[in-house]
Amino acid sequence: MSRIRILPDILSNQIAAGEVVQRPVSVVKELVENAMDAGADRIIVEIENGGKTLIRVSDNGCGLSRDEAVLSIERYATSKIYTKEDLFSISTFGFRGEALPSIASVSTFSLVSRTADNATGTRVDMNGGKLSGVTDTGAPVGTMVEVRRLFFNTPARRKFLKSENTESGHIADALAGLAMGNPGVGFRLVCAGHGTCS
């Protein structure tokens, strides 16, 4: 007879990643929506190999303090809801507080962020969901999230990704939709080796 047990955090985050992160465009969408929720009006998305090798999203939003940056990678951490009533009045893009830890659990992940009130920024590094470092760093106001080697530790998921052109196309389409719905935000998509994507 099997015994009931609590799943390790890394495994539960990887399961959540299956709901949140289906392909590179899922990562881009989550990170861009976080940037817009942070008040960014300039967002740069850089990808390599259709997002399978690298996704980097940089914004000029309000940024995170050191404590907030560390807390942001915890499961269920969110700045969007505090009470059950808040669930019925959400005006932001995301709120579940699973995106960053889920993305970090299936990639090599780094977050660099600084608020206008801080002279230095904070860098948080993770590898496959394990925290590998929190350091002070120079950074502009805003946030940069870098996701490398997506699904490197879940090869069955990686196997189902399509070609570079197909994955890049999904990302370009998603950003075009976000740009059309948010005319006050400037978007730029850069595909390594191919200049600016259309």
Side-chain angles (χ1 to χ4, degrees), residues 3-22:
R3 296 187 178 274
I4 296 173
R5 66 187 74 182
I6 302 295
L7 288 172
D9 285 344
I10 289 177
L11 184 55
S12 60
N13 281 336
Q14 286 180 341
I15 291 169
E19 300 169 5
V20 176
V21 186
Q22 284 135 17

Side-chain angles (χ1 to χ4, degrees), residues 53-133:
T53 306
L54 169 70
I55 297 167
R56 183 185 297 122
V57 177
S58 309
D59 70 62
N60 67 342
C62 63
L64 300 169
S65 68
R66 185 183 183 92
D67 289 345
E68 290 171 329
V70 174
L71 192 58
S72 74
I73 58 170
E74 295 291 331
R75 197 163 182 211
Y76 303 126
T78 180
S79 62
K80 317 293 174 59
I81 55 175
Y82 299 100
T83 67
K84 66 180 180 181
E85 289 76 22
D86 291 340
L87 289 171
F88 302 101
S89 59
I90 294 168
S91 59
T92 57
F93 287 100
F95 71 92
R96 290 197 305 169
E98 290 186 1
L100 292 185
S102 297
I103 293 166
S105 73
V106 291
S107 69
T108 301
F109 175 97
S110 69
L111 178 149
V112 176
S113 194
R114 180 170 80 86
T115 66
D117 298 333
N118 290 300
T120 60
T122 301
R123 180 183 178 103
V124 178
D125 290 299
M126 300 185 74
N127 189 26
K130 294 181 181 177
L131 183 64
S132 56

Side-chain angles (χ1 to χ4, degrees), residues 129-184:
K130 294 181 181 177
L131 183 64
S132 56
V134 179
T135 54
D136 291 338
T137 187
V141 173
T143 302
M144 181 194 73
V145 177
E146 191 172 274
V147 177
R148 291 187 178 273
R149 302 191 306 147
L150 186 62
F151 300 135
F152 81 96
N153 55 353
T154 51
R157 300 283 307 284
R158 191 172 180 87
K159 181 177 70 172
F160 287 102
L161 297 180
K162 303 299 183 188
S163 70
E164 176 180 352
N165 286 342
T166 298
E167 298 297 344
S168 296
H170 288 310
I171 292 168
D173 289 347
L175 284 179
L178 287 166
M180 288 178 65
N182 298 276

